[in-house]
Amino acid sequence: MIQLAQDEYQEIYLAVNDENHQTFFQRKSIQGAVKLNHVSLLVVNITNE
């Protein structure tokens, strides 16, 4: 992950499809990395949206 000074960004969003969210992003190691880097996930249903 890119290290940024806190005043350089408001919030980081990562868009992921719902299938990846239910598999890859359920791993504890990935959840830890997401939390550590203050990344918000935007889960998208590709079929419906």
Side-chain angles (χ1 to χ4, degrees):
M1 291 276 173
I2 298 172
Q3 295 292 336
L4 299 173
Q6 189 171 359
D7 61 344
E8 290 185 47
Y9 67 94
Q10 295 274 327
E11 193 164 355
I12 296 175
Y13 290 89
L14 176 63
V16 297
N17 69 35
D18 56 343
E19 290 180 23
N20 284 335
H21 181 261
Q22 292 182 11
T23 55
F24 182 75
F25 285 92
Q26 296 308 309
R27 298 178 185 176
K28 290 198 183 289
S29 60
I30 301 305
Q31 290 177 355
V34 167
K35 184 176 181 178
L36 178 68
N37 290 287
H38 307 284
V39 175
S40 296
L41 298 178
L42 177 63
V43 181
V44 179
N45 182 319
I46 301 296
T47 305
N48 294 334
E49 298 187 39

